[in-house]
Amino acid sequence: MSGNMIIVGMADLNVCKSPGALTTLGLGSCIGIAFHDNINKVAGLAHIMLPDSKQIQNNSNVAKFADTAIVKLLQDMGKIGAQRQNVKAKLAGGAQMFAFNSTSPSMRIGDRNIEACISILKMLRIPILANETGDNYGRTVELYADTGKFVIKTIGHGTYTV
Amino acid sequence: MSNGPSKLEMHFDTLKEISNIGTGHAVTALSQLLKRNFRMNVPTVNFVEFKDVANFVGGPETLVLGVLVNISGDLDGIVMFLVKQESARNLISILLGTSGGSSDDGSPNFSELELSTLTEVGNILVSSYLGSLASMMNKKIIPSVPQIAADMANAILSVPAIEFGKVADKALFIESVFGADEEQVSGYFIFVPDMPSFERLFSF
């Protein structure tokens, strides 16, 4: 991990310019939404927990929800020089950590988070370059503003770059 | 009826005390099952912010095992029993006499039997904790079949964190250290009632 790596916490988001990098640790059912503007070398990373801010009363933290975090991330990237039409997305997380054979919506939260992210990105016409979501294991991700490289680290499922 | 902080704090204290007793019963149950004497420290019970929970168990990327039980009945929510890999190994050593969970690359490497054993230990501990809670608060609580997962602390904790993220940003976090002979086990309980249950708990 390089010295200028910014850590994005749970229900948090941040942006940076080249040569900076962003990381978020141990994504489970949460999603890491990585945005990159390859022309202006600007990156943004959000660690969202829930799909939709409109379904929740306690929704003051915009970084907690897919819908509001995506909007805020684009705004914040714009402030440091990114242009909306250059932004492309990569996704990771959304795992089902526990193998409950259940239709309970709270146990399917990983899937619901993935569906929400994909549909919002489609609506905003933001291309998804990589979708490393689902399965049943945790992921730590790193996003590099210079190249847009998205490194995914796991316990027992390898480390890879997309 | 005032909703000032002092009342909330009083309720937290009550819940803490109940958790204290519940954890004691949990370890006693384990001790009876195994016919071994377990020493137990007084558990520490706290309301902590979810973003800090992972730090209590060794950091966001630390390998932990979590046994998750969904509860329904008068209270809905999640109860989770968490142990670090080291403690999981010690538990396995106490229970089975094998030394599982070790591999060179740090990945979880427990056999089916070892995982099943840890699930059952988690189940016993969670069930007796819930039993105490239910009888002291006069509530009916039905636990689900337990499920286990071994992965990064943050990933495991994301499941109760998401459930709780709908309500507030704090969870009831109980640390209980117990052991037999040289083998120490540090176990953690996380109790996450859902929104209506949270209100019901604090209106007794």
Side-chain angles (χ1 to χ4, degrees):
Chain A
M1 213 187 268
S2 62
N4 50 359
M5 183 83 78
I6 301 166
I7 295 177
V8 177
M10 215 182 247
D12 190 12
L13 60 80
N14 216 326
V15 296
C16 74
K17 286 202 269 196
S18 176
L22 301 153
T23 184
T24 192
L25 311 174
L27 289 162
S29 300
C30 304
I31 306 252
I33 303 170
F35 282 168
H36 186 239
D37 173 344
N38 199 32
I39 311 294
N40 298 299
K41 309 291 180 196
V42 176
L45 182 65
H47 182 146
I48 63 109
M49 299 174 76
L50 291 161
D52 189 358
S53 64
K54 293 182 287 295
Q55 289 174 6
I56 310 286
Q57 284 176 349
N58 173 29
N59 64 359
S60 55
N61 180 2
V62 294
K64 197 185 271 182
F65 307 93
D67 57 343
T68 45
I70 286 172
V71 172
K72 181 76 162 61
L73 205 51
L74 289 171
Q75 285 171 355
D76 287 2
M77 285 173 72
K79 280 179 201 159
I80 60 166
Q83 282 166 305
R84 170 75 173 70
Q85 68 271 20
N86 301 330
V87 172
K88 295 188 169 65
K90 292 177 182 177
L91 303 175
Q96 187 181 354
M97 298 307 300
F98 291 89
F100 276 100
N101 183 17
S102 156
T103 50
S104 153
S106 69
M107 287 298 117
R108 279 193 59 250
I109 192 70
D111 287 342
R112 286 170 52 222
N113 277 335
I114 299 166
E115 287 159 17
C117 288
I118 291 175
S119 85
I120 296 164
L121 293 174
K122 264 193 185 146
M123 208 169 67
L124 297 172
R125 298 177 192 282
I126 295 173
I128 301 170
L129 299 184
N131 182 3
E132 297 296 325
T133 56
D135 272 315
N136 63 350
Y137 52 88
R139 299 166 173 94
T140 282
V141 299
E142 293 171 1
L143 174 67
Y144 293 86
D146 182 28
T147 55
K149 263 192 195 168
F150 195 40
V151 180
I152 297 163
K153 298 175 175 176
T154 69
I155 294 182
H157 298 268
T159 297
Y160 48 99
T161 303
V162 292
Chain B
M1 200 166 88
S2 103
N3 280 318
S6 61
K7 187 181 176 210
L8 197 63
E9 274 166 29
M10 197 185 76
H11 285 324
F12 280 1
D13 281 345
T14 311
L15 207 51
K16 267 180 164 183
E17 188 48 35
I18 288 170
S19 298
N20 206 335
I21 297 165
T23 321
H25 285 180
V27 175
T28 306
L30 190 66
S31 165
Q32 283 168 349
L33 177 88
L34 300 171
K35 300 195 168 49
R36 287 186 73 158
N37 283 324
F38 281 92
R39 280 166 289 103
M40 190 189 105
N41 298 354
V42 176
T44 52
V45 184
N46 279 303
F47 272 91
V48 299
E49 290 203 27
F50 248 110
K51 62 179 174 61
D52 297 329
V53 171
N55 294 328
F56 284 90
V57 298
E61 293 181 287
T62 309
L63 177 64
V64 298
L65 287 96
V67 176
L68 188 147
V69 175
N70 283 304
I71 58 171
S72 55
D74 292 337
L75 295 175
D76 291 293
I78 288 175
V79 179
M80 190 185 265
F81 174 67
L82 268 186
V83 285
K84 282 190 235 183
Q85 193 178 22
E86 183 69 29
S87 286
R89 282 208 200 111
N90 286 343
L91 261 178
I92 286 169
S93 157
I94 294 169
L95 293 159
L96 298 174
T98 60
S99 56
S102 38
S103 69
D104 300 333
D105 62 347
S107 63
N109 184 24
F110 295 96
S111 71
E112 195 87 347
L113 176 68
E114 288 164 348
L115 278 180
S116 164
T117 305
L118 290 170
T119 310
E120 198 40 42
V121 170
N123 192 28
I124 292 163
L125 293 171
V126 167
S127 300
S128 45
Y129 170 71
L130 287 173
S132 308
L133 192 72
S135 65
M136 275 183 281
M137 301 187 87
N138 201 21
K139 305 264 189 221
K140 194 172 124 200
I141 302 175
I142 306 157
S144 74
V145 176
Q147 292 291 339
I148 195 163
D151 214 309
M152 296 181 219
N154 250 14
I156 299 280
L157 288 163
S158 73
V159 178
I162 285 170
E163 190 59 30
F164 216 71
K166 300 171 194 166
V167 187
D169 298 308
K170 285 185 169 186
L172 188 66
F173 183 78
I174 305 150
E175 177 173 7
S176 147
V177 180
F178 54 95
D181 306 327
E182 261 80 72
E183 289 128 334
Q184 282 283 331
V185 177
S186 299
Y188 309 88
F189 292 90
I190 298 164
F191 176 46
V192 185
D194 76 355
M195 179 69 143
S197 307
F198 197 79
E199 283 163 359
R200 250 173 277 152
L201 264 177
F202 289 129
S203 64
F204 55 85

